[in-house]
Amino acid sequence: MGESNTVSFDALDGAKFYVIYRSNGNLDYSGSQIYKIISRNSVDGKVTFVDENSNGDKYSYGVKALSGSNTLGEGSKVECLFNVTFKDYDGSLLKEETVKYGDKATAPTPKGKDGATFVGWSTDINNITKDLEVVAKYNDSDFFVKFYDKDGNV
């Protein structure tokens, strides 16, 4: 499976289904841009749709609610959301965050590693365009080496 885009929007009262529109250009809600019809199921007032066939490409998404009388409401554009998971060097979870397309993720403070210095994250978190797993990186390969000559001098 390739990368995916996650879109989330507020559930609407009276919606029987939602019609998802997708475009890699201008979103005009034409019949050719109808991508999926999804159920009205929501969690905490939010409906979430995962586009498994996006391969991480940037699309504009829109949604129209289909009412009980089978009429479509006005279209509204929805944002792509991505999951960013921060882990420490040992794989332990530091933080999970949902970020809008193009936004910056907010890094947590790493736990630290004995004898090592935190030097940054495994990937850039300034322009999120896909789901990411980010790992804390440490500089633990500093060694102090003394060289001695044959007479024992440093």
Side-chain angles (χ1 to χ4, degrees), residues 148-153:
Y148 296 92
D149 65 16
K150 65 179 181 166
D151 296 324
N153 298 314

Side-chain angles (χ1 to χ4, degrees), residues 12-153:
L12 299 173
D13 290 336
K16 183 166 73 172
F17 294 99
Y18 295 98
V19 179
I20 304 293
Y21 294 79
R22 182 176 92 167
S23 172
N24 57 4
N26 185 37
L27 189 62
D28 61 14
Y29 299 94
S30 64
S32 65
Q33 292 181 343
I34 294 175
Y35 182 62
K36 296 266 184 182
I37 298 175
I38 63 172
S39 74
R40 65 177 183 193
N41 295 339
S42 65
V43 176
D44 296 329
K46 293 279 188 192
V47 177
T48 301
F49 166 71
V50 179
D51 183 356
E52 298 287 351
N53 298 312
S54 69
N55 293 319
D57 292 338
K58 171 66 172 141
Y59 288 104
S60 295
Y61 293 90
V63 63
K64 287 186 177 184
L66 183 64
S67 71
S69 62
N70 293 329
T71 56
L72 281 175
E74 293 296 314
S76 24
K77 191 171 179 183
V78 291
E79 298 284 339
C80 287
L81 302 174
F82 299 100
N83 297 313
V84 180
T85 303
F86 290 91
K87 293 189 175 183
D88 213 350
Y89 73 95
D90 59 0
S92 62
L93 179 66
L94 295 173
K95 177 184 178 185
E96 291 180 312
E97 180 179 13
T98 301
V99 181
K100 289 181 183 179
Y101 183 92
D103 282 359
K104 177 181 179 178
T106 305
T109 302
K111 295 179 193 173
K113 182 178 179 184
D114 287 339
T117 303
F118 174 73
V119 294
W121 298 100
S122 61
T123 190
D124 182 32
I125 59 170
N126 289 312
N127 182 23
I128 304 301
T129 60
K130 61 183 179 179
D131 289 339
L132 286 179
E133 181 175 289
V134 184
V135 180
K137 295 294 182 184
Y138 295 87
N139 182 357
D140 56 355
S141 58
D142 287 340
F143 297 97
F144 295 100
V145 179
K146 290 183 179 181
F147 292 94
Y148 296 92
D149 65 16
K150 65 179 181 166
D151 296 324
N153 298 314

